[in-house]
Every structure is written in C-alpha cells, then in structure tokens.
Amino acid sequence: MTLPPTRWELAGERNRGYGETFADRVARGLDVDGEARFLDAMLARGSRVLDVGSGMGRVAAALQARGHDVVATEPDPDLRGQSLATYPGLEVLPHQALALDPAEVGTFDLVALVGNVMVYLGEGTERAVLERVRDLLAPEGRAAVGFHLTPVKAGSRSYPAEEFVADAEAAGLRVVHRFGSYELHEADDEYAVWVLVRA
C-alpha cells in the first residue's frame, strides 16, 4: 500500500531541530517526561502501550521504565537512529500510523499520539488514522492525543478543536476528556490534550 507523504516528511530539514532540542535536554538532565507521566497515570502497571510517532523515544522509554509493555513506531530514520543511540533498550518500528496492522501488532490498553503527531500526518489522512487508532484499541483501551491547534511548528497544519472532534466521532471514537496541557490545565485555544475511547 502506497501511503501519502506526511507533512513531517515534506517539511524535511526544517524539522531537524526537534531531535537536537530534546537530545540537549536529555544530556542536561532536564525533565522530558511530562507526557509520559500523564499517560502512566491512566494505566495499570504492565499495560500494553503503542507510541505512534515516537520521535527520539523519550516518551516510550519513560513508559517502558515505568513497567509497561511498549511498542514504539517512528517512520523518520534519523529520529529512529537517535532513539536507538539514546535508549538502546527500546525497539522502534519504522511504520507510520496507517501502516500498523492490528492483526500483526495486536491491540493496546493505550495508543498515544502525543507531541503534534496529528498535525504532521499526510494530507487528508486524519480520519483514516483515527480509524486505525480505534482498531488498535483493546475493548477498554483509550487513546491519548496531543497537538497544537494552530500551526506553530514548521510544516504543521491548523487543526481546530471542533474539526478534530468531528473527525474522531466519524472514526468511531468518543472524547472523554480535553485538557490544555499534560499537567491537566484547563482547555484553551493553543494546545489540546484529548482522551478518547471507542464510541
């Protein structure tokens, strides 16, 4: 199956600063676990987690260190290489979301698409990705999605809250929570963190 290029791919070199920024933060011992703490609070110990668009691996590695069974997937070869160098115990699949087959990878207690994954998807694939997320959820599973609502990063799209909710509902998902940050701030018009379940 031929998949459309993601906005991340099309942005190319304009996004190289992402990996460098987090590599510097990790090297300096700064806190890079905000998303992982949020996700971990939703999970029983030893839960099965899928981190879609795992980037340089910091969220997946933090969840793995907290005792979860984590599958990470990142299509960008440079970020996969950085992940391997930084977290050698974390295996990272080279797939984008639509290449994940539930028959092959199974289902998950939590599917995470954090760090602006949704606003870097291939054009017009948002609903299809959300449908795939639905199919990857265990019966009582949840999805956590976080992204900037306006395009503040190179190559990203604007994704208004009402459009995301409509796409999620059309994909067979239901919003159960919306926050303004991974520290559970009140919802705002800049960043949104969503918790979804099967409708």
Side-chain angles (χ1 to χ4, degrees):
M1 175 174 65
T2 301
L3 299 174
T6 64
R7 290 180 176 86
W8 180 269
E9 288 176 279
L10 294 174
E13 290 301 316
R14 291 184 293 160
N15 282 324
R16 291 297 157 232
Y18 161 81
E20 295 167 4
T21 295
F22 279 102
D24 176 67
R25 291 178 184 174
V26 169
R28 290 191 289 143
L30 300 180
D31 178 21
V32 295
D33 288 354
E35 298 98 326
R37 282 192 298 273
F38 171 83
L39 300 172
D40 182 54
M42 296 168 45
L43 295 165
R45 204 58 41 211
S47 292
R48 194 152 195 264
V49 181
L50 174 65
D51 185 3
V52 177
S54 57
M56 54 86 70
R58 61 189 175 84
V59 175
L63 290 171
Q64 188 178 66
R66 286 165 167 82
H68 300 296
D69 177 12
V70 181
V71 175
T73 178
E74 173 55 59
D76 185 313
D78 291 334
L79 289 176
R80 281 200 313 279
Q82 183 179 355
S83 181
L84 177 62
T86 309
Y87 306 107
L90 177 69
E91 182 181 0
V92 183
L93 302 176
H95 306 357
Q96 60 168 287
L98 288 174
L100 294 167
D101 183 351
E104 295 178 1
V105 298
T107 59
F108 298 85
D109 302 302
L110 178 69
V111 176
L113 297 91
V114 296
N116 286 312
V117 170
M118 288 300 300
V119 294
Y120 279 112
L121 298 175
E123 184 175 356
T125 65
E126 291 84 359
R127 287 192 181 186
V129 167
L130 289 167
E131 289 171 355
R132 185 60 48 89
V133 168
R134 177 203 64 209
D135 293 343
L136 289 162
L137 290 176
E140 301 300 318
R142 290 179 285 182
V145 182
F147 57 89
H148 282 96
L149 298 169
T150 55
V152 299
K153 305 289 185 181
S156 66
R157 62 159 289 192
S158 174
Y159 203 173
E162 58 274 15
E163 183 181 347
F164 173 76
V165 171
D167 286 346
E169 291 176 348
L173 295 166
R174 177 172 60 87
V175 174
V176 292
H177 298 292
R178 176 186 170 187
F179 304 106
S181 74
Y182 296 102
E183 291 76 38
L184 310 187
H185 288 101
E186 187 175 353
D188 59 38
D189 294 328
E190 295 183 11
Y191 197 89
V193 176
W194 314 84
V195 178
L196 309 171
V197 296
R198 289 173 181 257

